[in-house]
Amino acid sequence: MPKTKNAYLRYLLIHSQIRRNQYKEGYPTIDDLWQYLYDEGYEVSYSTIEKDLCFLKNERGAPLIYDRRKKCYKYTEDWEFDVPLTPEAVRILQMTLHKLEIFSEAREFRMVNDAIEKLSDHFQIVRKYPDDRLNKYILFEYTKGFSGKEHLSRIYEAIYDKRTIMFTHCRFDTEDPTQRTLQPYILKEHRNRWYVIGKENDEARIFGLDRICDLAVTDNYFIQEPAFYDEIFNVLRDAVGVFAFGFDSEDVVLHFTPDEAPYIKTLPLHRSQQPVYENETGGYTVKLHVKVTAEFINDCILRFGDRVRVVSPQSLAEHVAGIWQCAIDSYNASRTV
C-alpha cells in the first residue's frame, strides 16, 4: 500500500509529535507536522494533514485544539491513539507468533510478543476455555528443538544488516571441520531443517544450520547483488529442496496409482505440476518441470514406494529402478546371513 494511502500510520506519526512537546512553541505547527511526515517518507499536502487532524479529533475523540496565538496543535489532556484491531485480529497475530517461535531468541520477536500481550490486555481478550492453549489445538510440522535453531536469529540479522558471517562447518560425511566465511543472502527451510544460502569466494554455497558451530557475525559489510538473488530464486523455483545449484531443469512424467491420486491432486508435488492423464481405474499421471536432484527423487518418487512409476525420462526410470534393485538385493542378502 502506498504511504500516501496508509492513513493509520500517518495518524500515529502525527499523534506521536503532538505528544512529544519538543518544538519551538512546545507543540507542532502544521509546518512541523508536514516536515516530520516528509522526513518519514510521506509526501502529503497540507489539506491531507488537516483532514488527519480532524479525524483524530472527531472520529477518534482526541482532545485536540489549535492554539491560534502560537499556531500549533496540542492536547488538553493525556490521550492515546488506539490501534483499530479487533480481538479476532489479535488472535490471528497470536497464532502467527506461535508459528514463528523458532525465532524466539530474536530481539524483534520478543518486542512483537510484548506488543501482542499489551493488545490482549487492552482488549481484555478472554479465551473461551480457561486451559486454552494454541499448541493444544494447532500443531505445526516443525520441531521446536531442532539442531541449529540458536543460529536463526543471528543469521537473519546478518542478512538484514548485510554483514559477513564466519563459522565452523561439520559435514555429516566427514569428521574434518572446515572454517567458512559467507555472505548470507537467504534462509531456507526444507523438511524441518534450515539452511543459509549465500556467496563464498564468489560462488553460491548452501550450509545446513544443524552443521554449523562457533557462529560469529563480523563487522565486514558486503553489497548484496540483485543478480545473485535472481539466481537463487530461479534455481529454487524449479527445485524440490535446497541443493539444486548446477542442475538443469527438465520435464518429468510420473504415474500414480488410483489410491494415491487424490492426495497428489489436492497437494501437488511441485508448483509446476500439470495433469496429463486421469482415470478412476487407471490412475493419475502428472508432468513436472523440475531439477532432478537427490531431494526430488527422495521426496517425490521413493517415498511413494510402489504407488508411483516414472514414465519419463527413461534415464530417471532406470536410476529409480536401480535404487529399488539395490534395496531388494540388500533384503535378499540379509535373509542368507
Side-chain angles (χ1 to χ4, degrees):
M1 179 181 293
K3 283 192 172 183
T4 54
K5 294 184 179 180
N6 203 337
Y8 272 100
L9 288 179
R10 293 201 313 272
Y11 301 153
L12 287 170
L13 291 172
I14 292 172
H15 167 65
S16 69
Q17 295 310 296
I18 296 175
R19 291 183 68 242
R20 292 185 70 178
N21 189 20
Q22 65 171 8
Y23 293 92
K24 180 179 179 181
E25 299 296 340
Y27 296 95
T29 65
I30 194 168
D31 291 330
D32 294 327
L33 293 175
W34 183 91
Q35 186 62 52
Y36 180 72
L37 290 173
Y38 181 83
D39 292 341
E40 291 295 320
Y42 292 81
E43 299 183 25
V44 297
S45 64
Y46 277 66
S47 62
T48 297
I49 297 175
E50 290 173 345
K51 291 177 182 177
D52 291 347
L53 291 166
C54 288
F55 175 86
L56 289 173
K57 181 176 181 178
N58 299 328
E59 301 296 329
R60 306 301 294 178
L64 179 65
I65 63 171
Y66 177 67
D67 189 325
R68 294 184 179 277
R69 184 173 63 85
K70 295 183 178 181
K71 298 182 179 180
C72 63
Y73 293 89
K74 61 183 180 180
Y75 293 142
T76 58
E77 58 185 76
D78 289 339
W79 181 77
E80 288 293 340
F81 177 60
D82 292 334
V83 179
L85 286 177
T86 65
E88 289 74 18
V90 177
R91 284 183 183 273
I92 295 298
L93 287 173
Q94 289 174 324
M95 291 170 61
T96 303
L97 201 64
H98 177 68
K99 189 170 184 179
L100 293 176
E101 281 184 349
I102 53 174
F103 292 100
S104 59
E105 297 180 13
R107 179 177 60 87
E108 292 81 0
F109 180 95
R110 294 194 296 270
M111 292 172 63
V112 173
N113 191 34
D114 291 343
I116 291 179
E117 288 298 325
K118 291 178 181 178
L119 285 171
S120 298
D121 293 340
H122 175 76
F123 286 107
Q124 297 181 342
I125 296 174
V126 179
R127 293 189 172 99
K128 185 175 181 180
Y129 302 103
D131 62 346
D132 184 9
R133 294 292 185 273
L134 280 174
N135 58 5
K136 178 179 179 181
Y137 298 111
I138 302 177
L139 298 178
F140 296 104
E141 184 177 356
Y142 69 82
T143 302
K144 291 183 180 179
F146 65 86
S147 180
K149 171 186 175 182
E150 66 276 12
H151 302 315
L152 270 173
S153 62
R154 296 181 65 197
I155 294 178
Y156 172 82
E157 291 171 0
I159 293 173
Y160 186 84
D161 293 335
K162 303 178 181 62
R163 295 166 64 182
T164 300
I165 60 175
M166 299 178 63
F167 54 87
T168 301
H169 182 244
C170 302
R171 293 170 58 100
F172 287 156
D173 57 358
T174 179
E175 295 182 357
D176 298 326
T178 57
Q179 302 301 314
R180 300 290 187 171
T181 300
L182 185 75
Q183 296 175 348
Y185 273 71
I186 286 177
L187 283 165
K188 176 76 166 66
E189 184 269 343
H190 178 62
R191 297 183 69 82
N192 295 329
R193 293 186 186 274
W194 281 85
Y195 303 84
V196 57
I197 304 175
K199 295 188 74 172
E200 183 183 47
N201 299 325
D202 290 327
E203 293 185 0
R205 298 305 304 266
I206 304 169
F207 297 97
L209 268 59
D210 53 353
R211 279 147 275 182
I212 286 177
C213 61
D214 302 325
L215 174 67
V217 179
T218 74
D219 292 328
N220 298 325
Y221 292 83
F222 66 95
I223 299 175
Q224 292 178 340
E225 302 174 12
F228 184 58
Y229 265 118
D230 292 340
E231 179 184 354
I232 294 174
F233 284 107
N234 287 335
V235 168
L236 296 181
R237 179 185 58 196
D238 292 343
V240 173
V242 181
F243 296 95
F245 286 86
F247 288 82
D248 294 328
S249 301
E250 55 185 303
D251 290 337
V252 175
V253 179
L254 303 176
H255 178 76
F256 292 88
T257 61
D259 290 342
E260 195 64 39
Y263 299 97
I264 301 302
K265 286 190 288 186
T266 55
L267 184 60
L269 299 172
H270 186 259
R271 59 186 295 276
S272 65
Q273 178 174 309
Q274 296 292 332
V276 175
Y277 171 83
E278 180 178 5
N279 185 286
E280 292 183 359
T281 58
Y284 186 56
T285 303
V286 299
K287 181 172 73 173
L288 312 170
H289 187 71
V290 294
K291 297 180 183 296
V292 181
T293 63
E295 290 171 295
F296 168 75
I297 294 173
N298 290 332
D299 291 355
C300 298
I301 300 176
L302 296 182
R303 75 183 179 97
F304 291 101
D306 62 353
R307 302 184 303 280
V308 64
R309 175 173 57 85
V310 178
V311 178
S312 66
Q314 183 61 31
S315 58
L316 177 59
E318 293 174 356
H319 178 67
V320 172
I323 293 175
W324 287 125
Q325 186 59 55
C326 288
I328 293 172
D329 293 343
S330 177
Y331 278 108
N332 289 336
S334 66
R335 294 195 185 105
T336 62
V337 176

